[in-house]
Amino acid sequence: MTRPIPLNDVARLHAPLMPAMRQAMERVLASGWFLRGQETARFEAEWAAFCGQAHCVSCASGTDALTIAAAALGLKRATLQDNTLPLTAIGLHRAGVALALADVGPDGRMAAPHADAVPVLLYGRQPGDGEAGCRLFDAAHAHGWQPGPEAVACWSFYPTKTLGALGDAGAITTNDEGLAQLMRDLAGRDDVLRDGRQLTSRMDELQAAVLRVKLASLPRWLAARQAIGAQYAAQLPPEVQPVSGPGDLQHLAVVRTPRRDALAAFLRARGIETKVHFPQPLHRLAAPWAAHAEAFPGADGWCATVLSLPCFPGLGEDEVSAVTDAVRAFAAEA
């Protein structure tokens, strides 16, 4: 195959939805109402229902969602797995949460979940053992996950997410009506000062309208991602195996190999785009958090060996096969 294979192709995803997306945007433009309107209210109701929860509070980003949720919950301390995106920690820190880091096990999850853990559902994987009973989750990668009855889930709609806006946007879902109202106050829904901690963090009507259009396709997109993940699992060589399994939501198709950088270069030379999620564990970064241990061999090893392969709805079976053929060729040269 000669044409490049991108890691993600939002334009390809959007192409069949363009008429409906234009109609939604024109509806907002004609209304003259761009914030705190009916599109946002309807998306909140639809997203809450999709997640199986009673309430949704929209905001400007997934990072803001973590800040608002942590402040509303009154979190004082939290433990994070060391191999997550720094923005998870930044979002919590802005709410005044004292952060500690914990190493990860062979599966990339917190090795021994602490009582104050905030699990990150990396790559769209379902919560692991010891995580399901936690209260607050970073579910930015896990669109399609059904949070538990007591869970508070923070979502990102960054454009490359499984459900992505045309810019930044985020939300929190919960079954707690009082908590939802407090989070709305903290998000700064109107011009009234309701809490000294509040932000100005809103989803605009254009983003909400587009997300409503795209939400209708989300079940089909999730199925497509899982089919791609299954094809990778079936065709990749034993030396380069996916970290996700059946039932995971496959936001990213992540594999592990001790020759990660060499594999990435090999694929790049053949027009196959890859990316590392994420290259540095948090304990290697200068930032406002502490550590539960002096060494983090699990996280160091994880961040040095993971690689994300192309995975998005619209990626053809022939393209996935081209990727796996290239990976097998790389493995054969070892």
Side-chain angles (χ1 to χ4, degrees), residues 21 41 43 56 60 70 78 107 132 139 144 178 180 187 211 247 250 258 277 283 302 325 330:
M21 290 168 62
F43 173 73
C56 170
D107 63 355
L211 286 169
Q250 211 64 64
H277 295 90
H283 79 274
W302 188 267
D325 287 348
F330 170 83

Side-chain angles (χ1 to χ4, degrees), residues 304-325:
T305 57
V306 291
L307 186 68
S308 298
L309 302 179
C311 182
F312 58 92
L315 184 69
E317 289 185 14
D318 58 333
E319 292 175 298
V320 178
S321 292
V323 174
T324 58
D325 287 348

Side-chain angles (χ1 to χ4, degrees), residues 34-311:
F34 305 121
L35 285 170
R36 307 194 305 266
Q38 288 301 308
E39 296 292 343
T40 302
R42 287 169 181 160
F43 173 73
E44 287 179 330
E46 291 162 5
W47 182 245
F50 186 86
C51 296
Q53 293 202 291
H55 306 282
C56 170
V57 179
S58 61
C59 59
S61 70
T63 306
D64 281 2
L66 286 161
T67 301
I68 293 163
L73 288 166
L75 290 189
K76 302 301 182 186
R77 296 186 56 81
T79 299
L80 284 177
Q81 60 203 68
D82 193 36
N83 61 340
T84 187
L85 178 70
L87 289 178
T88 304
I90 295 299
L92 295 172
H93 173 71
R94 291 190 311 173
V97 179
L99 295 170
L101 306 177
D103 203 5
V104 300
D107 63 355
R109 295 183 173 93
M110 196 178 297
H114 293 250
D116 61 358
V118 176
V120 184
L121 305 184
L122 284 177
Y123 323 137
R125 296 192 296 175
Q126 301 282 349
D129 293 340
E131 293 181 338
C134 292
R135 186 76 194 282
L136 180 61
F137 290 81
D138 181 343
H141 286 186
H143 299 171
W145 172 57
Q146 297 286 292
E150 303 301 319
V152 177
C154 296
W155 310 91
S156 169
F157 303 115
Y158 186 80
T160 56
K161 292 293 188 287
T162 303
L163 179 66
L166 302 185
D168 232 336
I172 314 112
T173 57
T174 179
N175 286 326
D176 187 322
E177 183 176 2
L179 184 67
Q181 184 55 55
L182 177 54
M183 290 192 293
R184 291 188 183 97
D185 292 344
L186 289 170
R189 284 294 179 96
D190 51 32
D191 300 326
V192 177
L193 179 63
R194 300 183 184 278
D195 191 297
R197 302 167 296 169
Q198 77 186 48
L199 309 175
T200 301
S201 182
R202 303 162 182 157
M203 180 186 293
D204 66 66
E205 288 284 280
L206 283 167
Q207 301 301 347
V210 168
L211 286 169
R212 292 184 67 207
V213 171
K214 296 177 73 173
L215 181 55
S217 296
L218 186 53
R220 175 169 52 85
W221 291 343
L222 287 166
R225 288 178 176 277
Q226 290 177 319
I228 291 167
Q231 188 176 349
Y232 277 134
Q235 296 181 1
L236 286 169
E239 304 93 325
V240 185
Q241 279 295 297
V243 304
S244 297
D248 290 324
L249 299 163
Q250 211 64 64
H251 171 59
L252 296 170
V254 178
V255 298
R256 289 192 75 187
T257 170
R259 301 175 61 217
R260 189 267 309 286
D261 293 342
L263 174 58
F266 186 91
L267 295 177
R268 183 169 58 250
R270 286 152 182 78
I272 299 169
E273 184 182 8
T274 64
K275 189 173 181 178
V276 177
H277 295 90
F278 299 98
Q280 287 187 294
L282 298 187
H283 79 274
R284 297 286 180 185
L285 304 174
W289 40 70
H292 279 302
E294 294 183 0
F296 292 79
D300 282 329
W302 188 267
C303 292
T305 57
V306 291
L307 186 68
S308 298
L309 302 179
C311 182

